[in-house]
Amino acid sequence: MAKFKVINLDGKQVSEIELSDEVFGAEPNSHLFYEVSKFQQINRRRGTVGVKNTSLVSGGGKKPWKQKGTGRARQGSIRASHWVGGGKAMAPKARDYTYRPPRQVRRGALRAALSLRAKENALVILDGFKLDAAKSKQAFDVLTKRLKLENALVIDEKGNTNLHRSVRNLAQFDVLPPEGLNLESVLRHKQLVLTSAAAKAIQEALS
């Protein structure tokens, strides 16, 4: 079990917390980062294309003219791909790009990312993060002036609505509940801020 300092909103140490080496002391793994980042990005791809092939274009059920005797080339439908208004030959179809790596890979990538931030001394653990009201300016002042942070992801329980409503409007900061923690958000920010309650919840989920 590794020990981490727990500080207050003024940056002063108030206690210590012990967290599992399995979650906060794992070795960084670039391959896990790649697999899970690819999973998150590719699942945002909609894969919707609206091109119609010959069978999907309406009309053209009747043969435009008889097969022989007209002197013109034989035709089966005015909705064939070489006609104006016809279907697209070999049209691309809507497809599902969803990719989901195994659960152990997803959890392993999160453990490695948390451990990387801890190793870089970019992991800040607070005893709590309570705000009087949902005001972005107040949250910004706490994060930048009192905690001296520049670009951070804040994790706290979903019930702390004032914090979530305040931080989500800030350009260089983001906020998530412990159950919403994901690799892309962790790697996108230089620092990671956890409340002690959130740190315990994450440890329990990933152990």
Side-chain angles (χ1 to χ4, degrees), residues 43-141:
N43 284 0
R44 288 197 294 268
R45 188 172 180 181
R46 297 182 65 186
T48 52
V49 287
V51 181
K52 293 182 178 182
N53 58 23
T54 303
S55 65
L56 296 177
V57 179
S58 61
K62 182 182 177 182
K63 189 173 174 68
W65 52 77
K66 63 181 184 177
Q67 182 84 345
K68 296 179 180 292
T70 65
R72 290 179 289 185
R74 54 194 175 188
Q75 302 293 331
S77 170
I78 61 171
R79 293 296 174 251
S81 60
H82 59 279
W83 283 74
V84 174
K88 176 76 173 177
M90 294 175 284
K93 298 179 181 178
R95 57 175 290 191
D96 182 10
Y97 288 94
T98 301
Y99 165 74
R100 188 174 178 83
R103 180 168 176 261
Q104 286 301 321
V105 172
R106 303 194 305 271
R107 287 159 59 100
L110 269 180
R111 287 194 288 259
L114 292 170
S115 302
L116 178 63
R117 289 292 175 260
K119 189 176 181 180
E120 295 172 341
N121 293 320
L123 176 62
V124 178
I125 301 180
L126 301 173
D127 59 342
F129 202 150
K130 299 296 182 184
L131 298 176
D132 300 331
K135 293 185 178 179
S136 296
K137 185 179 185 304
Q138 184 181 357
F140 184 77
D141 288 343

Side-chain angles (χ1 to χ4, degrees), residues 137-195:
K137 185 179 185 304
Q138 184 181 357
F140 184 77
D141 288 343
V142 170
L143 290 166
T144 58
K145 295 179 181 178
R146 295 166 68 179
L147 294 176
K148 311 296 183 185
L149 301 173
E150 298 176 359
N151 182 306
L153 173 66
V154 181
I155 308 292
D156 196 14
E157 294 172 320
K158 190 182 294 184
N160 192 352
T161 54
N162 284 343
L163 175 66
H164 284 262
R165 290 176 180 175
S166 300
V167 177
R168 69 187 181 187
N169 293 325
L170 302 176
Q172 299 300 317
F173 300 92
D174 199 6
V175 61
L176 290 171
E179 55 270 24
L181 181 66
N182 63 86
L183 178 70
E184 203 170 35
S185 294
V186 174
L187 296 181
R188 189 184 295 127
H189 296 87
K190 295 178 181 178
Q191 293 125 345
L192 180 63
V193 179
L194 307 176
T195 62

